[in-house]
Amino acid sequence: MVRLRIHQLMQARHISAYALSKGTNLSYPSAYRLSRAGGVFGRMHAETLDALCGFFNLQPGRLIEWVPKGEG
């Protein structure tokens, strides 16, 4: 399973979902969904991934992680 690491990044940097929304130009509900603990998401557009990479100043691989089935 692929999971987002946005929640951990936001905690480490003391960023709220509102700040994520404003910094990425995502709607607040979208930013909130992406920032939930657990990192589960359905699909993500390339533009959203680009906005997140720009906001956090990270490569895409730092935003996601792969967890083998049965370990998560």
Side-chain angles (χ1 to χ4, degrees):
M1 167 188 285
V2 176
R3 292 187 192 167
L4 292 173
R5 300 190 70 244
I6 294 172
H7 179 75
Q8 294 93 326
L9 291 167
M10 289 174 62
Q11 279 190 321
R13 297 180 186 196
H14 306 288
I15 297 169
S16 67
Y18 180 79
L20 180 65
S21 170
K22 292 298 178 190
T24 57
N25 265 348
L26 294 172
S27 68
Y28 178 77
S30 293
Y32 180 79
R33 277 192 303 273
L34 291 171
S35 68
R36 289 185 294 199
V40 178
F41 67 102
R43 68 179 94 155
M44 183 184 308
H45 292 278
E47 293 86 9
T48 303
L49 184 58
D50 182 56
L52 291 168
C53 288
F55 179 77
F56 288 109
N57 195 30
L58 298 171
Q59 292 293 320
R62 299 280 314 271
L63 294 175
I64 58 175
E65 67 180 339
W66 177 70
V67 179
K69 289 184 180 183
E71 290 186 25

